[in-house]
Amino acid sequence: MPTVTVSDKGQVVIPAAIRKQLGITPGSQLTFTLEGNTIRVEVKRHKPTTTIDEGFGMLVCPPGPARRLQDFDIAQAMREDNHERP
């Protein structure tokens, strides 16, 4: 069992082998519990990081009327925008 030293600020370094085995990375949260003279440390599990591909299909947009590029008149849209501004 490795021995570590507590710093002036109360900090300790978790040995690399233990961090790796438990998946402790920067930003991981740990829960401390006092059990008699023993400190129990548990990794607070969080949702794993996901990729963009895993979110595909989560947002659904109901189909609307078919639109074509020819239906958009940029000049008209700019005129309407200018009338709406003070």
Side-chain angles (χ1 to χ4, degrees):
M1 188 64 68
T3 301
V4 299
T5 303
V6 179
S7 75
D8 293 340
K9 295 181 180 182
Q11 300 168 326
V12 296
V13 175
I14 302 168
I18 294 174
R19 291 194 315 263
K20 184 176 180 181
Q21 185 176 354
L22 295 177
I24 299 173
T25 57
S28 294
Q29 293 186 339
L30 306 175
T31 302
F32 288 80
T33 308
L34 186 60
E35 297 176 354
N37 289 334
T38 304
I39 298 173
R40 180 183 178 98
V41 181
E42 294 182 63
V43 180
K44 185 175 179 183
R45 298 291 173 204
H46 60 283
K47 295 181 181 177
T49 315
T50 58
T51 64
I52 292 173
D53 291 336
E54 291 172 311
F56 181 78
M58 290 179 64
L59 302 176
V60 179
C61 181
R67 300 188 310 177
R68 301 174 305 169
L69 187 56
Q70 298 93 317
D71 296 337
F72 294 96
D73 183 353
I74 301 299
Q76 180 64 32
M78 290 175 70
R79 284 191 295 274
E80 290 172 2
D81 186 51
N82 285 335
H83 286 103
E84 293 175 4
R85 292 185 188 203

